[in-house]
Amino acid sequence: MDRHVQVGIHELKNKIIEMGGLAEEAIALAVEGFLASSSQRAQDVKDIENRINRLHILVDELCVRLLATQQPMGSDLRFIVAVIKINADLERIGDQAVNVSGNAKRALAGRPLDLDTRNDFAAMCPATRDMVRSALDAFVRNDQRVAEKVLKMDDVVDGLKNAIFAKTIELMEQGTLGVKQGLDLILIARNLEKIGDHASNIAEDVIYATSGQDVRHPYSRTELKSP
Amino acid sequence: MDRHVQVGIHELKNKIIEMGGLAEEAIALAVEGFLASSSQRAQDVKDIENRINRLHILVDELCVRLLATQQPMGSDLRFIVAVIKINADLERIGDQAVNVSGNAKRALAGRPLDLDTRNDFAAMCPATRDMVRSALDAFVRNDQRVAEKVLKMDDVVDGLKNAIFAKTIELMEQGTLGVKQGLDLILIARNLEKIGDHASNIAEDVIYATSGQDVRHPYSRTELKSP
């Protein structure tokens, strides 16, 4: 085992853990502000996103440097390739947290959330955060089983999103909910769904890094070599 | 110049060109169906996405194989790292084309598009496709200037999206446009905007591959080394 490669991989792992922590924090603050009908923390979310963006660039630089100087092989190489992709997903989770914040600010400008809608989001928000946390757990522990659980959690989040969509549309059609507010709520549900999608991508990359197995697009794997 | 590396890079380039062509075709079919108020081509879009997904897996495999067996350096290494990211963006463009198709099918189930809305989308659709085409041109020709143009085109696409959002919301508030149809139109505008974002990502990766310069997050580059 090459010591230089291991030092580099250790550094990469720490940076991804740091980014992941920031991404979780950004989601938590954005969601907390939204559920508390407050936009006070919007600037904090933006600041965290900024730190994620700096790490985004730094992690890519570290990956390229490691590939260039150490020529890693086997599982080390797979780990670095996985990190290049996980890095991109974490950056986009940061973007989506900022979007939640922005859409929430507009959604709440109309009027506070009714209790029913608040409850729906109070279920969807932690489900989405759990996906991100579990995906990072899987990454930290190289744990394929946790990663597989994340992929299953995605169905739950999608179901919660569909329920919010359906209920919001109904309220908009009844005229109980204004068009602008309803739309912002729908966009927030979509932002959260996307965060879940990025967590799923991370889980797939963890499975790839740990097992060498590419589990993406299972339905389209036939005739892979002659597309 | 290592011949084996060059053969591998040539193969990668061809696969990305193939994927890019498919992505453009998927957007064209999805948009064409939408503007013609027809959902006949939805299955074709799905089939193309499937082919993109197969290439997505294949390109990643080729990148890892090339990194493992040839230990490329300098601009070759940057090219491969850029391809890993461009590959992910092209796959997501395929997803978004399928989303356009699906949202269009629902949007048109209500009633045909009014002329005004149709005209707005008839401006936004080709603008988005142009971004993808130009990003791929920049990739094929290693042309940083074309890539920079793509980044500017993104403002135009965002502006068109904002206009569609504002007009659609107005029609929904007036009751001229049903909630469900309005919402689907807004989601289509968002899908197209996202396609533009992915084209911008590709352009940024082309700039990185050709110049070694990372142009992402310019506002957050200060103190890069101590985030």
Side-chain angles (χ1 to χ4, degrees), chain A residues 61-85:
Chain A
E61 284 178 1
L62 290 174
C63 287
V64 172
R65 202 182 306 158
L66 208 52
L67 288 170
T69 59
Q70 305 300 329
Q71 281 115 26
M73 304 289 285
S75 65
D76 292 337
L77 176 58
R78 285 204 309 272
F79 176 85
I80 296 168
V81 170
V83 163
I84 292 173
K85 297 186 227 173

Side-chain angles (χ1 to χ4, degrees), chain A residues 50 53-54 56-57 60-61 64 71 85 91-92 183 201 208 216-217 219-222 225, chain B residues 50 53-54 56-57 60-61 64 71 85 91-92 186 201 208 216-217 219-222 225:
Chain A
N50 230 314
N53 289 347
R54 288 206 291 271
H56 180 216
I57 292 176
D60 267 350
E61 284 178 1
V64 172
Q71 281 115 26
K85 297 186 227 173
E91 189 263 341
R92 284 168 200 173
L183 190 63
N201 292 343
Y208 168 75
R216 303 169 301 179
H217 319 304
Y219 52 88
S220 58
R221 291 193 68 86
T222 43
K225 296 298 161 193
Chain B
N50 230 315
N53 289 347
R54 288 206 291 271
H56 180 217
I57 293 176
D60 268 351
E61 284 177 0
V64 171
Q71 280 115 25
K85 298 187 227 171
E91 190 263 342
R92 284 166 200 175
I186 278 183
N201 293 343
Y208 168 74
R216 301 169 303 178
H217 318 305
Y219 52 88
S220 59
R221 292 192 68 85
T222 43
K225 296 298 159 193

Side-chain angles (χ1 to χ4, degrees), chain A residues 202-217:
Chain A
I202 293 173
E204 287 171 345
D205 290 328
V206 169
I207 294 173
Y208 168 75
T210 51
S211 72
Q213 192 194 346
D214 191 332
V215 294
R216 303 169 301 179
H217 319 304

